[in-house]
Amino acid sequence: MLRTSLSLLRRHALAPRMLRAAGLRTSARPSSGSNPPMDFPCIDKLETRQRDLLSGPEPTYEKIVTGYQTYQHASPFTCDHGGQLSGMRIAYETWGVLNAEKSNAILIHTGLSGSSHARSHERNRNPGWWEKFIGPGLAIDTNKFFVICTNVIGGCYGSTGPSSLDESGERYATAFPLLTVNDMVRAQFHLMDHLGIRKLHASVGASMGGMQSLCAAALHSERVGRLVTISACARSHPYSIALRFAQRQALMSDPNFNRGHYYDGVQPHVGMKLARSIATVTYRSGPEWELRFGRRRQKPDQPPALCPDFLIETYLDHQSERFCLQYDANSLLYVSKAMDMFDISYSVTQRLEKQRKERQTPCTSVCMDASEQPASEEGHSDVETGDEIMADLVRGVSSAMQPTLVLGVHHLL
């Protein structure tokens, strides 16, 4: 209670300085010329939210998704790039009935910011993010299959992530170890062991979930019967890495970010909103943006504005506004970095496996800025010529020989 009160006092004392640091003003400068000053309703909205956040309370991500179950891993979980998670927790939800042979389980893998709530159920009747695909008689038929969905480690919807408490009772923040998609999948298979499921009927996912489904099929081929991967890859492309880098830079440039230690202060909501806007641009193709919005403006009978004006701008603003306080900023950093590092190539997989086994001690620091780290080739392919890279990737993928459905991939020869 005392800590909370002191935190609130500090917020109010620092409020003017924080508003100035964030580039937010409480009043517009009066026009000194003949032209009227421009209105900035979008900036007004950010200023209002900043003031509200200074008064608290802070967002509680665990309350956004409810009704999930949790699995607590008994022993320390060692990550591929070093560091351990003590008492790792995985949030998960299930639908359907597991048969006596435990052979009808389907594991659903989520995208970057997805929760375990893929479909509604008695403990949470809100529609899930795959409500139309999971259920009786639907594509993933819960009359036939026992369906499981987890929140990935590194997330903020019930599983252990940067916003979780470490063994000392403090938030991990950016002392959380860097993760790989392989780490996320290994954690999920610990849950499968807990549920007594030796082999999955199928591993299914889209976007980052598609990376996980492929990873599960390749690294645990004897435990996955079928593979469905949607709009994913076997190796992150430089273009995708560049876009996610821009998102992280926008987030970390928010004055409230405080190198990830913002839990007792104001969330980096402006940086999160900018990051989500950048990400949302990548979720639709150019022709789809043209078809859906074209060049139509929200108020074509009024002069142009610097705040959202075109319909596509209002859409980006709306989507990012919804997201900026519903997902933890540190989770976005860590999970998106794991996506960047994803590479199922044989040499990369072997190197990660080897270094994880050699590193059984907790990490002492994690820095998101590579320029502050010594040069390292960990997690990179041993080969760089085109033919060698392809052969290495094919060798890594060749372990996934299950019946496979791949959707949403544009193949370039």
Side-chain angles (χ1 to χ4, degrees), residues 268-289:
H269 58 100
V270 177
M272 280 291 281
K273 183 172 181 178
L274 291 173
R276 188 61 169 186
S277 293
I278 297 169
T280 304
V281 172
T282 71
Y283 298 159
R284 302 280 188 271
S285 65
E288 187 176 357
W289 287 124

Side-chain angles (χ1 to χ4, degrees), residues 62-70 91-95 116-117 119 121-125:
E62 291 84 354
K63 294 182 180 179
I64 293 174
V65 179
T66 60
Y68 53 78
Q69 303 176 66
T70 56
Y92 69 99
E93 297 176 49
T94 65
W95 303 264
S116 58
H117 192 60
R119 178 177 170 83
H121 50 75
E122 290 185 359
R123 295 182 302 278
N124 185 345
R125 297 188 180 277

Side-chain angles (χ1 to χ4, degrees), residues 84 86 120 134 145 199 270 330 333 335 394:
Q84 292 184 341
S86 300
S120 57
I134 302 171
F145 301 110
K199 185 173 183 178
V270 177
N330 283 329
L333 295 179
V335 178
V394 169

Side-chain angles (χ1 to χ4, degrees), residues 106-119:
I106 294 178
L107 178 59
I108 305 293
H109 307 273
T110 73
L112 183 153
S113 59
S115 71
S116 58
H117 192 60
R119 178 177 170 83

Side-chain angles (χ1 to χ4, degrees), residues 22 112 133-135 148 171 205 226 228 232 240 244 253 264 272 285 290 293 325 357 361:
L112 183 153
F133 293 92
I134 302 171
I148 310 158
R171 305 268 192 176
R226 293 161 184 80
V228 179
S240 300
R244 286 190 287 265
S253 297
D264 289 330
M272 280 291 281
S285 65
E290 179 71 32
F293 298 110
L325 292 179
K357 290 180 178 179
T361 57

Side-chain angles (χ1 to χ4, degrees), residues 45-60:
K45 185 188 298 183
L46 296 179
E47 291 176 351
T48 299
R49 183 164 64 233
Q50 178 81 5
R51 285 191 293 269
D52 290 344
L53 290 173
L54 286 167
S55 301
E58 296 302 332
T60 304

Side-chain angles (χ1 to χ4, degrees), residues 310-360:
F310 286 96
L311 289 185
I312 190 171
E313 294 175 328
T314 63
Y315 175 80
L316 293 177
D317 184 67
H318 173 71
Q319 293 295 324
S320 57
E321 185 73 20
R322 289 177 52 198
F323 181 78
C324 69
L325 292 179
Q326 291 190 344
Y327 194 71
D328 181 43
N330 283 329
S331 286
L332 179 60
L333 295 179
Y334 277 85
V335 178
S336 70
K337 188 64 179 181
M339 294 177 72
D340 287 354
M341 296 299 295
F342 180 64
D343 186 348
I344 205 69
S345 299
Y346 178 80
S347 65
V348 175
T349 301
Q350 293 301 305
R351 178 173 291 149
L352 289 175
E353 182 73 13
K354 179 182 178 182
Q355 72 184 34
R356 177 171 51 83
K357 290 180 178 179
E358 292 174 349
R359 295 177 173 177
Q360 299 296 325

